Amino acid sequence: PYDNKYAINQIESGHKALLQREAFSPLGNDSVTGETLVPLSLDGKNHLRIIILGGDHTIVLPLLRSINSVYGKIFVIHFDSHLDTWKPSVFGGAPSDQAAINHGTYFSWASQEGLIKNGSSVSFLFHDFASPFHFIHGAIRTTLSGPEDYDNDDESGFQRIEAREIDTIGTDGIIKKICDTVGDNPVYLSIDIDSIDPAFAPATGTPETGGWSTRELRTILRGLEGMHIVSADIVEVAPAYDANAELTTMAAADVLFEVLSVMAKTPLSKIRAANSA
């Protein structure tokens, strides 16, 4: 709790040690065609799939570093009310090297380090400004510091889906945008609990109005069935801020259930013939 750099190194090394273990019982054949399945990892082995619960969203940077060692550059689906691609000089001013890595800059670092597939990641941003770009982030709705925020986001390779688009294209339209962007590539899924409106999930450090309902997010997550999710996180839950009914905790637990279900239905492998092609 007193040294971010040390904590980041702990997370990366611990996650890498788990991730590089081989799965105990991988699926050997495709359930529909019966064809032999080939793992999507760089070393051709079946690895563990891990869901991380947090906590500060900064943890994604060491997690992506770890994932890179097994899968290489990864596609990212990011549900959040904030961009999290700010440059350190913009977000907090980066008074030190340690402070430059935080919960608003980690995707900027991930892009600079070549950890994510630029131009192929999806982030859902919930905010009230119409986007002049045709990209995808998931659930973003925060007030921007200026147009340069989008420039930074573009440089980091993210596409954006506005939270308010759910009013026009619905959950089916949002699911289609995600699937069209990611396809059947290996993907990392990051979910900030503040992507849900504070009416449904108030216990988070940076709540933003105008978000999706718990039902809408769960519907969208179910629509990701068939995606090759290598790992996922659910972060920024702050139980001390929760209501007596523990609404946020319930929402996070149910989101976790949806993610786990999607992961369990789809093995991290492709049919050999398709993989060879």
Side-chain angles (χ1 to χ4, degrees):
Y2 305 111
D3 188 327
N4 286 352
K5 183 176 181 180
Y6 184 76
I8 287 172
N9 289 337
Q10 279 187 312
I11 294 169
E12 181 180 351
S13 60
H15 186 262
K16 185 180 293 184
L18 286 174
L19 187 65
Q20 291 183 342
R21 294 182 185 177
E22 287 194 62
F24 176 70
S25 181
L27 294 175
N29 299 86
D30 180 66
S31 59
V32 177
T33 65
E35 297 286 341
T36 301
L37 293 174
V38 179
L40 298 175
S41 59
L42 296 177
D43 62 7
K45 298 179 180 179
N46 292 286
H47 292 270
L48 299 184
R49 304 163 82 178
I50 306 167
I51 299 177
I52 303 92
L53 306 180
D56 194 300
H57 216 154
T58 310
I59 65 172
V60 171
L61 180 58
L63 296 176
L64 289 177
R65 288 171 175 168
S66 170
I67 288 169
N68 183 262
S69 68
V70 175
Y71 295 98
K73 288 186 178 182
I74 195 76
F75 286 67
V76 173
I77 300 174
H78 174 221
F79 292 94
D80 202 320
S81 65
H82 308 92
L83 291 164
D84 293 354
T85 53
W86 284 284
K87 293 181 178 179
S89 59
V90 175
F91 193 88
S96 69
D97 291 342
Q98 180 169 302
I101 300 177
N102 58 55
H103 68 127
T105 66
Y106 60 91
F107 272 135
S108 176
W109 285 103
S111 176
Q112 292 178 44
E113 295 179 15
L115 305 178
I116 57 179
K117 290 273 191 178
N118 282 3
S120 304
S121 296
V122 184
S123 187
F124 297 85
L125 312 178
F126 297 106
H127 54 75
D128 295 327
F129 297 107
S131 171
F133 304 97
H134 302 287
F135 301 102
I136 308 174
H137 247 301
I140 297 208
R141 58 184 182 275
T142 185
T143 300
L144 304 177
S145 59
E148 64 274 9
D149 287 352
Y150 277 160
D151 295 336
N152 294 340
D153 199 50
D154 294 343
E155 289 178 16
S156 295
F158 276 94
Q159 301 185 52
R160 292 182 291 276
I161 294 176
E162 302 287 333
R164 59 173 53 195
E165 288 187 49
I166 201 168
D167 298 329
T168 54
I169 64 176
T171 54
D172 287 344
I174 290 173
I175 292 168
K176 184 179 187 302
K177 280 195 172 186
I178 301 172
C179 294
D180 287 349
T181 300
V182 176
D184 63 352
N185 295 285
V187 62
Y188 179 83
L189 174 61
S190 183
I191 304 173
D192 190 320
I193 199 66
D194 71 22
S195 57
I196 300 175
D197 192 273
F200 305 93
T204 186
T206 50
E208 301 281 356
T209 62
W212 293 337
S213 69
T214 308
R215 181 184 64 190
E216 289 166 341
L217 179 58
R218 293 183 66 179
T219 298
I220 292 168
L221 289 173
R222 290 188 182 193
L224 303 185
E225 181 177 336
M227 283 195 175
H228 299 289
I229 301 175
V230 304
S231 192
D233 68 66
I234 302 169
V235 297
E236 295 292 336
V237 177
Y241 299 156
D242 216 352
N244 290 339
E246 299 183 334
L247 299 176
T248 314
T249 305
M250 281 197 299
D254 288 339
V255 167
L256 170 63
F257 174 80
E258 300 293 354
V259 173
L260 185 63
S261 298
V262 170
M263 292 173 73
K265 290 180 179 179
T266 308
L268 283 184
S269 49
K270 294 183 179 181
I271 296 174
R272 183 179 298 278
N275 189 71
S276 299

